[in-house]
């Protein structure tokens, strides 16, 4: 993507300008970010997705007197309130995994590293519906897809939440700005900016959401993967204490066990590239509800595209795809990085590919991770 071309999507800013001035720093309201935008799914299609197995969906209802109700899907039509009842919202997460056009919409936001991209969430609300004033820990682009929504936003110092509600709702919301968004308008919000979007009539909003791994979660995931060494001996190395003396205080942990534990961690950290490998594997791991349909039996492709569900990343030494890692260098690395960046390889690219690279692509094709290019 050319990061120095002014984009209507960003109100005439280039991606570079947007990242420097706004990303993670301050909101941006863009009128007609996508001029003439038409929803990718109509109401019936979206609500039917909310009822499908394997789709993450939530329902938020305002019960009056400041009471809220949160339920988790799937929602067959009879579990949803009537369309004439005001004040409810259905939220469908990960629409890009299920719908090619939603996946394609996200491609416009690839001026942000893929490792930071989360998903497309679509909300449907009846009049006055909303999820209440809150803040998120993540950056988000809120694209109005259908109807109107009134957003009130603010920097909010006091992040205290209302007690005894099933949602994260700010106890004292102090909005500073108010904007009514029409279809095609978009609002970017950095993490922690308080916001409250209320539907004015029936409305649909698309949230292009990002992920920021939390430090504790990352440490846990990385340690788990790093302790899984590739050259692990067949019989595990266990703690030995031939020198252990008889104890009078059996509750005390032997200091030698501390040393053994420390060594275990130091060993995992000292292994060259272990951290890089673990990070790439973790960040490219598909979401738990993702499954792939196997490639067709002919096993033939002249050009390839990544399946929309595939997460592919790379670093200086590795290629990562759907939680797996490969050491790669030279021509093969160049080719695979191109696949990760452009999500496709042409016939000409494949004509120059090594046998090893073709073999790998063929195994990914069998797994349904890549598809024949002409399938779209
Ligand atoms: C919504 O679309 O109703 C909620 C999106 C958000 O506030 O993050
Ligand atoms: Co939010």
């Amino acid at each position: 993507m050319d990061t120095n071309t002014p984009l209507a999507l960003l109100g005439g800013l280039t991606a570079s300008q947007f990242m420097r001035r706004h990303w993670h720093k301050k909101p941006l309201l863009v009128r007609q970010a996508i001029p003439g935008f038409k929803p990718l799914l109509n109401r019936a299609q979206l609500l039917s997705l909310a009822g499908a197995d394997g789709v993450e969906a939530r329902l938020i209802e305002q019960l009056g007197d400041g009471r809220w109700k949160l339920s988790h899907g799937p929602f067959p039509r009879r579990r949803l309130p009537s369309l004439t009842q005001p004040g409810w919202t259905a939220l469908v997460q990960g629409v890009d995994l299920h719908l090619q056009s939603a996946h394609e919409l996200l491609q416009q936001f690839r001026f942000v590293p893929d490792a930071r991209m989360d998903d497309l969430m679509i909300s449907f609300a009846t009049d006055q519906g909303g999820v209440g004033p809150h803040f998120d820990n993540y950056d988000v682009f809120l694209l109005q897809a259908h109807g109107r929504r009134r957003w009130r936003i603010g920097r909010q110092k006091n992040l205290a939440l209302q007690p005894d509600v099933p949602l994260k709702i700010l106890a004292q919301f102090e909005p500073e700005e108010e904007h009514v968004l029409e279809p095609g308008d978009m609002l970017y919000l950095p993490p922690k900016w308080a916001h409250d979007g209320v539907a004015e009539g029936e409305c649909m909003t698309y949230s292009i959401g990002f992920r920021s791994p939390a430090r504790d979660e990352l440490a846990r995931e990385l340690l788990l993967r790093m302790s899984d060494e590739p050259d692990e001996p067949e019989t595990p190395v266990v703690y030995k204490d031939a020198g252990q003396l008889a104890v009078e205080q059996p509750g005390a942990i032997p200091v030698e066990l501390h040393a053994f534990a420390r060594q275990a961690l130091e060993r995992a950290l000292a292994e060259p590239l272990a951290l890089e490998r673990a990070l790439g594997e973790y960040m490219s791991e598909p979401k738990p509800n993702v499954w792939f349909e196997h490639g067709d039996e002919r096993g033939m492709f002249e050009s390839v595209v990544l399946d929309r569900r595939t997460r592919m990343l790379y670093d200086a030494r590795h290629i990562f795809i759907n939680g797996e890692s490969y050491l790669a260098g030279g021509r093969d690395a160049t080719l695979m990085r191109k696949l990760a960046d452009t999500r496709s390889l042409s016939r000409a690219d494949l004509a120059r590919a090594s046998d090893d690279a073709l073999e790998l692509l063929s195994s990914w094709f069998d797994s349904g991770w890549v598809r024949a290019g002409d399938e779209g």
Side-chain angles (χ1 to χ4, degrees):
M1 177 180 288
D2 177 2
T3 54
N4 292 311
T5 304
L7 300 174
L9 183 75
L10 300 172
L13 295 180
T14 67
S16 303
Q17 288 168 330
F18 170 80
M19 293 304 281
R20 265 199 316 272
R21 296 180 198 167
H22 292 274
W23 179 253
H24 237 62
K25 296 179 261 306
K26 61 176 185 187
L28 178 69
L29 171 69
V30 182
R31 295 290 177 195
Q32 292 306 289
I34 307 186
F37 184 70
K38 295 274 175 301
L40 308 176
L41 288 171
N42 62 29
R43 181 179 74 195
Q45 289 166 325
L46 179 66
L47 295 182
S48 122
L49 198 56
D53 282 334
V55 176
E56 204 185 322
R58 283 166 295 157
L59 169 67
I60 294 173
E61 294 166 271
Q62 293 167 37
L63 304 177
D65 314 330
R67 288 176 309 130
W68 298 82
K69 183 174 170 200
L70 166 70
S71 332
H72 292 276
F75 299 104
R77 194 64 197 84
R78 66 187 148 72
R79 273 193 71 197
L80 291 175
S82 131
L83 292 167
T84 55
Q85 182 180 314
W88 63 270
T89 294
L91 303 155
V92 184
Q93 211 72 51
V95 179
D96 53 300
L97 299 171
H98 308 287
L99 189 71
Q100 187 64 20
S101 58
H103 168 73
E104 280 157 20
L105 176 67
L106 292 189
Q107 304 311 297
Q108 297 192 44
F109 297 85
R110 290 186 77 214
F111 49 84
V112 182
D114 286 347
R116 294 281 275 107
M117 174 64 79
D118 191 8
D119 71 343
L120 180 75
M121 178 187 85
I122 302 187
S123 70
F124 165 81
T126 56
D127 186 34
Q128 298 306 307
V131 305
H134 67 283
F135 64 89
D136 299 307
N137 290 320
Y138 313 103
D139 307 81
V140 67
F141 291 93
L142 298 155
L143 171 66
Q144 191 57 20
H146 172 76
R148 288 149 54 103
R149 188 184 282 276
R150 182 176 299 273
W151 286 103
R152 291 183 304 149
I153 64 173
R155 258 161 305 190
Q156 191 81 25
K157 291 259 169 354
N158 177 359
L159 298 180
L161 301 177
Q162 280 183 24
D164 307 323
V165 276
L167 306 171
K168 264 179 42 178
I169 299 201
L170 285 164
Q172 248 150 27
F173 179 40
E174 291 156 18
E176 297 170 302
E177 294 172 28
E178 185 168 306
H179 308 283
V180 177
L181 268 66
E182 309 260 355
D185 293 347
M186 187 170 79
L187 177 62
Y188 162 73
L189 290 178
K192 295 264 158 57
W193 267 70
H195 51 289
D196 185 20
V198 176
E200 302 206 329
E202 207 174 279
C203 109
M204 283 195 258
T205 304
Y206 289 13
S207 293
I208 293 99
F210 293 84
R211 64 201 286 235
S212 294
R215 197 165 54 180
D216 57 350
E217 165 208 322
L218 202 55
R220 195 166 47 241
E221 290 291 340
L222 296 188
L223 280 174
L224 203 66
R225 283 175 167 75
M226 286 163 66
S227 56
D228 221 5
E229 298 164 56
D231 57 354
E232 186 72 15
E234 273 200 8
T235 36
V237 178
V238 295
Y239 175 61
K240 296 196 177 74
D241 60 354
Q244 176 66 57
L245 303 177
V247 294
E248 286 173 4
Q249 290 152 325
I253 295 177
V255 285
E256 291 80 3
L257 190 51
H258 280 146
F260 183 74
R262 186 168 309 280
Q263 258 174 27
L265 279 186
E266 280 168 358
R267 198 169 180 279
L269 278 166
E271 210 218 308
L273 301 178
L275 182 100
E276 288 81 352
R277 191 177 59 239
L279 179 63
E281 290 178 3
Y282 175 55
M283 296 308 293
S284 66
E285 195 75 67
K287 291 198 178 184
N289 59 347
V290 166
W291 68 91
F292 291 89
E293 289 133 32
H294 287 262
D296 82 41
E297 279 152 19
R298 288 172 300 142
M300 298 274 288
F301 50 86
E302 290 185 330
S303 58
V304 292
V305 292
L306 292 183
D307 180 84
R308 65 172 175 269
R309 287 154 284 212
T310 286
R311 281 185 160 271
M312 188 173 186
L313 304 168
Y314 58 85
D315 66 17
R317 302 290 298 277
H318 305 91
I319 302 295
F320 305 103
I321 180 166
N322 296 331
E324 292 196 0
S325 56
Y326 303 86
L327 272 174
R331 216 153 48 99
D332 286 351
T334 309
L335 184 83
M336 293 307 182
R337 287 176 192 169
K338 182 171 184 189
L339 178 59
D341 286 333
T342 63
R343 298 188 68 86
S344 66
L345 290 176
S346 66
R347 189 192 288 235
D349 293 326
L350 294 187
R352 289 191 297 268
S354 72
D355 287 347
D356 282 351
L358 287 174
E359 207 173 301
L360 206 51
L361 284 169
S362 165
S363 73
W364 296 345
F365 181 86
D366 292 340
S367 312
W369 294 359
V370 302
R371 313 209 152 268
D374 51 352
E375 281 178 16

